[in-house]
Amino acid sequence: MPLAAPRAGLVHVPVNPVLKRAQAAHILADSGARLLVTQAARIAALERGDLPDGCTVVTEEELVSDDVLPPSRADTDALAAILYTSGSTGRPKGVMLSHANLWLGAISVAHYLQISSEDRVLGVLPLSFDYGQNQLFSTWAAGAGDPARLSDRARRGEGSGAS
């Protein structure tokens, strides 16, 4: 979702799945959500009035498609994502990020951490958390892969490469 939504011309607003119903409802209303892509458990937890007027709800499984999007022509300054703060000092507040913000943040962190295409990064933070999403983008920007390949290498006796 973090890349699919902006590529489709939408704004990605990740909602931590462990948030309480009222917190999720606040984010949906505050962001002006028009589409909620979620799991059946979240849908069942929502109450009347939790969704903004005109907000459509679909499950992740309903979005499966073989369609290929054309190359992006998105304006780099266009809004791509809104990440919400934890709300530890009150209600969560949305931080608006452009395509350029996401890209430059990823490049900066990949450079700072010296991530290379040979690295595997285990991302354990939720994508609703700014650094959780940045771990994913930085890994991709550096051409690195996912930790599932660590187990493939171990089976072949090549070691984990983890440190």
Side-chain angles (χ1 to χ4, degrees):
M1 281 302 151
L3 293 180
R7 285 282 286 117
L10 305 171
V11 176
H12 175 62
V13 183
V15 178
N16 191 329
V18 300
L19 288 181
K20 292 180 173 38
R21 181 198 60 75
Q23 294 169 305
H26 165 72
I27 291 171
L28 292 169
D30 188 65
S31 68
R34 293 182 297 185
L35 174 67
L36 172 61
V37 179
T38 190
Q39 301 87 24
R42 172 64 79 186
I43 295 170
L46 295 173
E47 295 180 4
R48 185 181 190 101
D50 284 348
L51 295 172
D53 289 338
C55 184
T56 303
V57 179
V58 296
T59 62
E60 294 170 337
E61 294 78 18
E62 294 175 73
L63 295 181
V64 176
S65 173
D66 292 328
D67 292 345
V68 176
L69 293 172
S72 176
R73 295 194 190 324
D75 178 353
T76 57
D77 292 329
L79 183 62
I82 304 174
L83 301 182
Y84 276 78
T85 63
S86 65
S88 58
T89 60
R91 286 188 170 259
K93 294 167 186 66
V95 177
M96 298 168 56
L97 300 166
S98 69
H99 293 269
N101 292 142
L102 294 174
W103 174 250
L104 293 173
I107 294 299
S108 174
V109 171
H111 177 75
Y112 172 78
L113 295 177
Q114 299 178 355
I115 301 172
S116 78
S117 61
E118 297 300 311
D119 289 325
R120 302 297 172 255
V121 177
L122 176 62
V124 296
L125 298 171
L127 295 179
S128 56
F129 179 54
D130 61 344
Y131 199 72
Q133 193 159 229
N134 194 279
Q135 280 182 314
L136 181 67
F137 291 160
S138 297
T139 301
W140 287 341
D146 66 66
R149 294 189 57 196
L150 289 176
S151 60
D152 292 341
R153 291 176 62 191
R155 274 195 295 277
R156 292 191 305 266
E158 297 174 13
S160 70
S163 58

